[in-house]
Amino acid sequence: MKGGEKKNYDVIIVGGGPGGLTAGLYASRARLGTLLIESALFGGQMTTTELVENYPGFPEGVTGDELSRLMEEQAKKFGMETVTQEVVKVSLEGDAKVVQTYESTYRCEALIISTGTEYRKLGVPGEKEFAGKGVSYCATCDGAFFRDSQIVVVGGGDSALTEALFLTKFAKELTIIHRRDALRGTKIYQERALANPKIKFLWNSIVQEIKGDSMVRSIIVKNVKTGEINELKTEGAFLFVGLVPRTQFLKGVVQMDEGGYILTNEHCETSAKGIYAVGDCRKKLLRQIATAVGDGATAAFAAEKFLELKE
Ligand code: NAP
């Protein structure tokens, strides 16, 4: 990690999902010197969503890739700089925020965190061992490898339902394994999944182990009501049991809840002056592209006002 030279910006945005890209658009249109740091692809979780149906302005839906491309293009149009690096540490030097990546050190007056979330691990034997060998957390990335296969999807939320519906394009048979007897996901996805002839449900059940040789071959499932344990043949296990925020690098800098979600007020301001959090990584009611975009605009505007008052 290099520590020497520090590049200065008015605003630095960490994370290039819809919240970060919108913050970048607003900050650069406000003529603030703006840098967006993203560790992977612009678009965040949108890039692994096949079709986005609930973002206004696209009555036929829009692919996650296309929406990501459009948001990136629009944000860059007004002069926002970008780098592909991973932020490992944020610290405060008086009013300045120092943002460290493996390669460089940056400094800014206002910092906007939009690092989103990542899929929670199930934490059962075999999960790590068979990751990429039948265990997956991304249907759009891996679905095509499971053509005519028998697979399982674990979870009962929107991710499990939307990814299961997508996977029916490839799989011969798909079982959703859920720990309760009622789904958590949005009603329209529930209706579609329940009506899909390729999708079966295994209710009140938890996965205890994932087994195989060079690839996944079966899973051990326990019925939490009866205690009965069964071994189910499967060629793939797609795990969608919730999300965890990517906020570890900010521990001790801003206040978070017990799950690591950043606490903010309605202006997206965190407990540290001049640091904002937007999108899925902040504690909020609804985590969607539409709400992330609103957060991004709010935080950039709040940052602009904060910088004006400092002058
Ligand atoms: P989620 O809503 O937190 O659902 C996680 C699911 O996994 C729940 O059904 C939960 O069961 C189950 N679960 C959690 N821990 C488990 C464990 N250890 N073993 C077995 N099952 C476990 O997570 P998500 O589905 O990833 O969605 C996250 C957010 O993204 C939500 O706000 C969602 O609306 C949003 N999202 C939206 C869309 C869309 O609108 N198209 C698509 C994807 C995600 P319980 O129900 O019993 O708690």
Side-chain angles (χ1 to χ4, degrees):
M1 202 188 298
K2 284 186 195 161
E5 187 202 352
K6 294 189 178 85
K7 295 181 198 159
N8 290 297
Y9 291 87
D10 296 319
V11 179
I12 290 180
I13 300 158
V14 184
L21 289 171
T22 307
L25 170 67
Y26 274 70
S28 53
R29 274 174 61 84
R31 299 291 180 236
L32 299 170
T34 305
L35 173 72
L36 192 153
I37 307 175
E38 163 61 50
S39 61
L41 292 176
F42 289 100
Q45 274 187 28
M46 289 195 294
T47 58
T48 59
T49 305
E50 195 217 5
L51 190 70
V52 177
E53 282 184 334
N54 53 2
Y55 188 67
F58 299 91
E60 303 304 320
V62 56
T63 65
D65 275 341
E66 178 65 356
L67 190 55
S68 302
R69 192 189 63 73
L70 289 169
M71 284 192 189
E72 180 186 347
E73 187 185 319
Q74 195 173 358
K76 285 180 174 170
K77 196 171 152 184
F78 297 97
M80 176 182 80
E81 288 179 39
T82 61
V83 287
T84 306
Q85 290 174 10
E86 187 177 340
V87 172
V88 288
K89 193 174 169 201
V90 168
S91 51
L92 304 175
E93 269 180 17
D95 280 353
K97 287 88 194 164
V98 179
V99 180
Q100 244 172 308
T101 68
Y102 286 111
E103 297 86 358
S104 307
T105 304
Y106 305 92
R107 227 178 129 99
C108 61
E109 299 298 316
L111 178 66
I112 300 177
I113 307 298
S114 52
T115 40
T117 52
E118 58 196 13
Y119 286 112
R120 178 183 289 137
K121 305 289 180 290
L122 198 52
V124 297
E127 178 178 14
K128 243 192 211 160
E129 193 185 338
F130 293 109
K133 297 173 187 163
V135 170
S136 172
Y137 305 89
C138 178
T140 41
C141 319
D142 300 330
F145 299 119
F146 294 87
R147 218 170 275 280
D148 297 321
S149 310
Q150 207 172 338
I151 58 176
V152 299
V153 167
V154 182
D158 280 339
S159 297
L161 297 179
T162 52
E163 305 282 300
L165 286 161
F166 174 73
L167 286 166
T168 57
K169 286 185 178 183
F170 308 102
K172 183 171 69 189
E173 197 182 294
L174 186 154
T175 305
I176 294 182
I177 301 174
H178 185 35
R179 63 181 177 184
R180 295 187 287 135
D181 60 1
L183 295 165
R184 176 181 291 277
T186 310
K187 286 284 178 288
I188 193 160
Y189 299 136
Q190 292 196 24
E191 287 165 15
R192 287 181 195 169
L194 290 162
N196 192 306
K198 273 195 182 173
I199 301 182
K200 285 188 192 165
F201 286 87
L202 198 57
W203 302 108
N204 301 314
S205 300
I206 55 167
V207 174
Q208 289 198 312
E209 189 179 347
I210 300 170
K211 294 171 75 173
D213 36 50
S214 59
M215 294 295 291
V216 168
R217 301 288 175 206
S218 67
I219 50 168
I220 306 292
V221 181
K222 179 181 176 183
N223 185 306
V224 291
K225 286 265 162 80
T226 62
E228 196 183 318
I229 292 175
N230 281 304
E231 184 161 0
L232 221 80
K233 272 196 175 167
T234 188
E235 291 155 81
F238 285 80
L239 310 179
F240 301 108
V241 293
L243 305 168
V244 283
R246 286 198 197 94
T247 55
Q248 280 288 355
F249 68 98
L250 276 170
K251 277 243 157 86
V253 180
V254 296
Q255 276 180 11
M256 302 176 191
D257 72 1
E258 62 290 345
Y261 287 99
I262 301 170
L263 302 178
T264 63
N265 64 13
E266 63 173 319
H267 298 159
C268 295
E269 291 164 330
T270 68
S271 57
K273 224 174 177 187
I275 304 187
Y276 306 81
V278 308
D280 287 5
C281 68
R282 84 175 179 98
K283 187 178 166 77
K284 62 195 284 193
L285 177 66
L286 181 64
R287 294 192 171 85
Q288 298 275 309
I289 301 169
T291 60
V293 160
D295 286 356
T298 302
F301 186 74
E304 185 189 350
K305 296 295 145 208
F306 168 74
L307 294 172
E308 275 172 18
L309 284 175
K310 284 192 77 196
E311 279 166 7

